[in-house]
Amino acid sequence: MRSTDHWPASAGHRPRLPGAAALLVGVFTLVACTSHGLATEPAAASASAATGSVAQSLPRSAALLFSEAVVLSPAEARALLDTLPVQGRAPKTGYARNQFGETWTDDVDVAGGHNGCDTRNDILGRDLIDPAFKPGTRDCVVLSGTLGDPYTGKSIDFVRGQDTSHRVQIDHVVALSDAWQKGAQQLSPRERANLANDPRNLLAVDGPANQQKGASDAASWLPPDKTYRCTYVAKQITVKSAYSLWVTQGEKDAMIRVLDGCTP
């Protein structure tokens, strides 16, 4: 799903943490010790309480990084997949991007929400290597950086600008159109806005690969870089469980094929 630049009229404040590296070490240690992935997953209740309470207590920037660090193992993803309803794809009738709120709005109840930065810049700041920020924006406008693209394995230089920003796009791992046809029609407008801006469902990726994916599910598109497919499918399952979405039988079969080939 193509993402376009949507810069805020005025940049707000993103809190930066002194000693952030030490904090992240603690976060990753916590994840390793709990052995369960998603803080909101019903299939990992005990880990949910532990990781969820820690994530909620962190400052916004740390919580954003925390949500990206927690990824289900293949076995956990496979177990969680079995809890998702299997149904046919509903009609696309009524779908529009604005059904999921204002593009890249900061007014959401997920990690990174209400931190003064729009969601696109939050994700660029999270996913780019050595991001450079526009002076005077309190690190809310990303000017440049390098992306290690998860979908293709390529290294991509990002430079903000009308003719260059499109090289790096923000992908909805579960495409919004796909979500609409698999349960999101029943969500409230607020829940749909959360889904569209949830860091667990967002990745900075190669623009052409994102265009190729479009609104596909796992049955019709997987990342060209096969080494990322296990993580990609686990992320989709995580998001679909968190927002009570379903999968089609073909989609589930494709996810199982990927997960069965993953290293435990």
Side-chain angles (χ1 to χ4, degrees), residues 12 113 119 142 161 186 238 252:
T119 303
V142 179
Q186 283 74 54
T238 290
K252 181 173 182 178

Side-chain angles (χ1 to χ4, degrees), residues 71-256:
V71 177
L72 297 177
S73 71
E76 290 167 339
R78 182 68 174 82
L80 190 59
L81 175 59
D82 285 337
T83 71
L84 300 183
V86 178
Q87 298 177 212
R89 184 186 293 271
K92 194 176 176 179
T93 306
Y95 170 74
R97 175 60 180 83
N98 62 15
Q99 293 280 8
F100 291 82
E102 180 184 352
T103 303
W104 305 137
T105 178
D106 187 42
D107 183 19
V108 287
D109 306 315
V110 293
H114 301 286
N115 69 350
C117 305
D118 70 89
T119 303
R120 175 178 165 83
N121 278 289
D122 275 335
I123 301 304
L124 287 173
R126 183 194 70 184
D127 291 354
L128 296 181
I129 300 167
D130 296 328
F133 299 91
K134 184 176 181 179
T137 66
R138 300 189 180 185
D139 291 358
C140 273
V141 175
V142 179
L143 294 179
S144 63
T146 302
L147 176 68
D149 178 45
Y151 286 174
T152 66
K154 298 187 300 185
S155 179
I156 302 170
D157 291 330
F158 169 79
V159 178
R160 179 177 182 259
Q162 183 175 351
D163 299 325
T164 54
S165 288
H166 66 277
R167 295 190 62 197
V168 173
Q169 298 176 12
I170 307 302
D171 181 42
H172 290 97
V173 178
V174 173
L176 300 186
S177 176
D178 180 67
W180 180 260
Q181 296 176 81
K182 296 174 183 174
Q185 295 183 43
Q186 283 74 54
L187 298 178
S188 69
R190 189 72 176 178
E191 289 169 325
R192 289 197 293 268
N194 287 341
L195 169 60
N197 293 276
D198 193 326
R200 294 171 297 181
N201 193 34
L202 298 172
L203 284 173
V205 300
D206 172 63
N210 191 34
Q211 294 298 300
Q212 183 185 54
K213 172 188 172 179
S216 300
D217 62 19
S220 51
W221 190 89
L222 291 167
D225 186 347
K226 294 181 179 180
T227 64
Y228 192 72
R229 290 181 178 180
C230 295
T231 298
Y232 177 77
V233 166
K235 283 178 171 291
Q236 288 192 326
I237 293 168
T238 290
V239 171
K240 292 208 166 189
S241 177
Y243 288 90
S244 302
L245 306 179
W246 68 74
V247 292
T248 64
Q249 187 61 58
E251 180 182 12
K252 181 173 182 178
D253 291 344
M255 288 176 162
I256 290 172

Side-chain angles (χ1 to χ4, degrees), residues 22-100:
L23 175 60
L24 286 178
V25 169
V27 167
F28 278 96
T29 302
L30 171 66
V31 173
C33 291
T34 59
S35 79
H36 288 287
L38 177 65
T40 58
E41 294 308 329
S46 60
S48 296
T51 58
S53 61
V54 171
Q56 292 170 8
S57 68
L58 294 173
R60 288 285 180 184
S61 57
L64 186 69
L65 292 166
F66 178 92
S67 67
E68 175 62 11
V70 181
V71 177
L72 297 177
S73 71
E76 290 167 339
R78 182 68 174 82
L80 190 59
L81 175 59
D82 285 337
T83 71
L84 300 183
V86 178
Q87 298 177 212
R89 184 186 293 271
K92 194 176 176 179
T93 306
Y95 170 74
R97 175 60 180 83
N98 62 15
Q99 293 280 8
F100 291 82

